[in-house]
Amino acid sequence: AYVVTEACIKCKYTDCVEVCPVDCFREGPNFLAIDPDECIDCSLCVAECPVGAIYPEDDLPKDQAAFIKLNAELAKNWPSIVNRVDPLPDHADWAAVKDKLQYLER
Ligand code: SF4
Ligand code: F3S
């Protein structure tokens, strides 16, 4: 499955959701998760994300490994999102910030 990583936190551009053929994105307060049981590995969402937050599970940067479990877990609790919405208000300030996991809201 494809995995949403740290770069999404506090940005949440949502461009990714519009192209997913199986509607497997789930929306939390400041992050999106991909439901790994529904993702068909089409890769279409990768190019849509302005901050490059989406990776295939088997090509994930080492420091993002925790996001495999996180996507699976959060996707089960969050509602589906299929239409693009406005990014979070401070998205531009957070786009280049590292170590955002501490800000993840559930
Ligand atoms: Fe959806 Fe394809 Fe992205 Fe998986 S890889 S989340 S199926 S757009
Ligand atoms: Fe997040 Fe990028 Fe989608 S910031 S909401 S993964 S477009």
Side-chain angles (χ1 to χ4, degrees), residues 1-2 16 19-25 34 38-46 54:
Y2 279 61
C16 53
V19 299
C20 183
V22 293
D23 297 344
C24 61
F25 282 92
I34 291 170
E38 298 197 6
C39 175
I40 56 169
D41 295 329
C42 73
S43 84
L44 287 175
C45 54
V46 173
I54 307 175

Side-chain angles (χ1 to χ4, degrees), residues 4 7-8 11-16 25 32 48-51 53-54:
V4 184
C8 180
C11 291
K12 204 170 83 167
Y13 287 100
T14 73
D15 303 67
C16 53
F25 282 92
L32 292 195
E48 299 302 316
C49 178
V51 289
I54 307 175

